[in-house]
Amino acid sequence: MINIPKGTKDVLPSQSHVWQYIEDVSRVTAEGYGFREIRTPVFEHTELFSRGVGDTTDVVTKEMYTFLDKGGRSVTLRPEGTAGVARAFLENGLQGGVMPFKAYYVCSAYRYERPQAGRLREFHQFGAELYGAEGPEADAEVILLADALLKNLGLKNVKLKINSIGCPACRAKYYEALKAYFRPHLFEMCEDCNARFEKNPMRIIDCKNEACKKFTAGAPRAIEFLCDGCKAHFEKVKELLGEAGVPFEVDPSIVRGLDYYSRTVFEFTSEAAGAQGTVLGGGRYDGLLAQYGAKPTPAVGFAMGMERLLMVMEAEGAPMPEPPRPDCYLLGMDDASRKKAFLLAEELRKAGVSCETDLMARSVKAQFKYADKLGARYVVTIGENELAEGAAEVKNMDTSAAARVKFEALAQFMTGGEEDDQRNERA
Ligand code: ATP
Ligand code: MG
């Protein structure tokens, strides 16, 4: 037998309703904030990610699924959603359209990581992107959307942590301080951090290597180096969140995993998710679109890991939807009534009643058992007498109430709340 690749998962028919529920709640919530869905390709030119996500990040240096296609072009399975959206925005000339641009996506993403709970090689993200608005209201609105999303999905114990990592102007001074701090320890730190030291010393703070972590804990914090503009921006974001009633904690240690962030960064974390505690992460990335050669366009957004979200929902005992059940199972007692059941099922489906009927030549008893397993609301039984009469015996499986219903009245009976009337008629 051929097995599923490491770090990937199937969603089986018995589970897909949970995914549909998460997606539906996410879509409805985002649309309430004026975001519309965008869909972009699973693979892009590799350069899109190396330039956008950043070539000092773990994602780009170690985790990308990159390959040459048959035409010899280097392509990469998207490791995240933002770069593709940014490309689509520019390529389709949306900069000249209605601003701010607001879009959400639901997509799979690919990272060659060591698989463990909450860390997969194929995973799914729900994300939001807001381009063109530089003010703190945009940061706050995106965070409010993220907060609403998690609340609408029934989570109660996620914590919002925010930070500001400044802009290129204040970062120059910050990088100097960081370099001065790390320089004496470089020989004890990993190779990656030595590379980061030159290119993007802030990335060192995110290093997962134990030897490096020893030094990162005491490193200078970006928040101590903010310029006046960044300070005022951050104050306003905090003020808006506070007045909107969204509790948060300022955590100066958050820097986020991708290169493109500036100013606001935030994470929603849960202790219920275990080691992989970050359910949703985001922030502002005013430099990203310019990286792609566009005129500078401010941007802010987030991505939520859907597998991690599901883990947290399960751990918190958040409400989950019931699996869907068919409205009706049509049971035929002999060959002639089986055929009638088969044809009636199709008529009922056209009238909006979800139906199943026997496809396995089961006995009457086995059909009842099957209907019960399906959780059918009604079992409609047809035998010789029913065929002659043109009416079926209908049993409501929740209440055990039974009724005789004309074939042509079945759809109305099961969808129109006619049940009580019919019972009265019979009485
Ligand atoms: P981490 O620090 O946990 O590796 P990250 O900073 O790499 O996260 P982002 O790039 O910000 O993560 O992605 C946003 C969200 O996507 C994360 O908060 C997480 O919920 C989810 N995510 C990221 N990588 C994975 C993965 N390999 N498997 C499952 N979910 C993931
Ligand atoms: Mg990561």
Side-chain angles (χ1 to χ4, degrees), residues 29-303:
T29 307
E31 298 200 355
Y33 285 76
F35 289 72
R36 300 285 173 259
E37 185 172 5
I38 184 165
R39 301 185 189 201
T40 64
V42 169
F43 63 90
E44 298 270 3
H45 293 300
T46 300
E47 199 196 346
L48 183 80
F49 303 113
S50 48
R51 219 189 313 158
V53 176
D55 53 10
T56 63
T57 62
D58 280 355
V59 172
V60 170
T61 54
K62 297 178 205 154
E63 297 170 1
M64 290 207 304
Y65 276 91
T66 297
F67 56 96
L68 293 181
D69 69 8
K70 292 201 193 305
R73 299 169 202 91
S74 178
V75 294
T76 295
L77 301 184
R78 65 178 163 224
E80 52 95 62
T82 293
V85 177
R87 180 203 47 69
F89 171 78
L90 297 173
E91 192 166 356
N92 292 286
L94 304 185
Q95 265 176 315
V98 181
M99 284 295 180
F101 168 81
K102 287 172 153 186
Y104 71 86
Y105 57 83
V106 188
C107 74
S108 56
Y110 303 83
R111 297 185 190 177
Y112 194 77
E113 301 205 65
R114 198 166 64 78
Q116 51 196 291
R119 197 171 287 290
L120 294 154
R121 290 183 174 172
E122 179 185 67
F123 61 103
H124 295 81
Q125 291 190 330
F126 180 92
E129 304 283 330
L130 193 161
Y131 301 161
E134 64 184 345
E137 295 80 7
D139 310 51
E141 187 174 281
V142 160
I143 296 173
L144 291 180
L145 164 59
D147 181 68
L149 193 58
L150 298 172
K151 288 209 172 98
N152 290 348
L153 286 163
L155 296 188
K156 298 202 163 73
N157 295 316
V158 282
K159 284 208 182 84
L160 166 60
K161 296 178 182 172
I162 65 171
N163 187 27
S164 176
I165 56 172
C167 64
C170 37
R171 207 165 293 159
K173 258 204 310 192
Y174 176 48
Y175 278 9
E176 265 173 45
L178 271 181
K179 283 183 160 179
Y181 172 85
F182 284 122
R183 191 169 284 115
H185 306 297
L186 272 181
F187 71 101
E188 294 170 80
M189 298 172 71
C190 74
E191 217 173 282
D192 289 341
C193 282
N194 276 269
R196 290 168 183 139
F197 182 83
E198 290 306 333
K199 285 191 179 166
N200 186 350
M202 192 163 57
R203 294 247 46 76
I204 297 178
I205 295 179
D206 226 18
C207 187
K208 310 276 192 299
N209 200 314
E210 287 306 322
C212 305
K213 274 192 192 165
K214 243 185 11 218
F215 303 111
T216 54
R221 307 297 199 183
I223 202 168
E224 295 152 16
F225 293 82
L226 297 185
C227 63
D228 289 346
C230 287
K231 237 185 245 167
H233 186 97
F234 193 47
E235 287 308 314
K236 189 76 188 178
V237 173
K238 290 191 288 182
E239 179 190 317
L240 289 169
L241 292 179
E243 291 194 25
V246 174
F248 61 86
E249 181 194 312
V250 175
D251 180 348
S253 72
I254 300 178
V255 297
R256 309 279 321 125
L258 314 178
D259 265 0
Y260 49 54
Y261 286 99
S262 58
R263 290 196 161 168
T264 314
V265 287
F266 61 92
E267 291 181 353
F268 284 82
T269 61
S270 164
E271 272 154 33
Q276 274 29 275
T278 309
V279 181
L280 184 155
R284 180 167 276 285
Y285 26 93
D286 290 346
L288 176 67
L289 286 134
Q291 281 279 316
Y292 293 135
K295 70 170 192 245
T297 305
V300 52
F302 67 78

